[in-house]
Amino acid sequence: MTAVFCSPLRYTQGPNVTRRIWSEMEILGLGGPALIVTSPQPRRLLEATWQTAFNEAHMGFQVHLFAGECTDAEVNAIASAVRAAGSATIIGAGGGKTLDAARAAAADLQLPFVACPTIASTDAPCSAVAIIYDASGVFVRARILPRNPALVLVDTQIIAQAPVRTLIAGMGDALSTMFEAKACVRSGALNVRGGSCTLAAMAMAELCYRTLLADGAQALADARANRVTPALERIIEANTLLSGLGFESAGLAAAHGVHNGLTAVPGSHAFMHGEKVAFGVLTQLMLEEADEATVDEVLQFCQSVGLPTTLREIGCAELSGTMLAAVAARATTPGELIHNEPFTVTAAMVEAAILAADARGRGFARKN
Ligand SMILES: [Zn+2]
């Protein structure tokens, strides 16, 4: 059994760290000029700071506006822009899709990649995974790239200004990490990078869960007030670093498998990845026949931060028998993450677990 643990070379988090982008790159030996892949909104917030930071170092940078979907064509377009500009480092600044397109282009050109997430909505920024879609937004494949980002630069002042729904969704994604890590360790499934789980990855996954329970509600209140506080800093770290290293180096299982199944329901498309993953966690606990106290603890947490616990809350209220069967079939296709559970999972078991999770969620909401 060979254990593998992967991570970025450097992770820097704090208010206004964008101002230090060049010095952070320089410490790692990263060179310029840089190509920054971003969207109009983060560009408005950050471009003046980039100007100051890069001008001070007499280093140039260019901006490539992300086309909106992480497709093979967009990855190629970024690579062309990098070649035309002669850039030595690729920076992605924005949400998950922007970062993924920039990270895939950097891998294709064998250039270092810097991730600057401007929301804390998923645990993807620290990883070496890029999710590729087609032009209409349908999942095509997950690319596992050779290297993690050289630098992950998390400006908490920027994240504190983002819509709070993105932070809540990030907590939903982070909620799954420990439960999926434990499932993989029990089954002996390999992590995302092809090795078994280290003590370090499991410790991060467990700390991620404890941090959510301890700080989630306070961090949400602080984010609503656009205030960077110690609780918000800890939740941003849990969503981004702890969950990111946890999922990649410990492994994924039923919660993400159920999420993938739920994407078969058109009504779920209006909901964020982490919102569907939260319901996937509940479903995983039903599949695993988890004890009552664990299920109640998860339900209590979800309710405290406004994460969905019922099918209605993820746009699947009218889940007909056929649609439920489609979700279960999609979730249990051969090779799916759900088969990392330590027992055989059938489509019939997934159907029953989804309905049981929904019933528990509705019952909990009525009682509390
Ligand atoms: Zn996820």
Side-chain angles (χ1 to χ4, degrees), residues 95-113:
K97 290 184 177 196
T98 309
L99 299 190
D100 278 10
R103 117 173 55 236
D108 289 345
L109 298 170
Q110 296 187 314
L111 287 176
F113 171 61

Side-chain angles (χ1 to χ4, degrees), residues 123 173 256 273 277:
D123 54 17
D173 205 18
H256 275 78
H273 172 82
V277 169

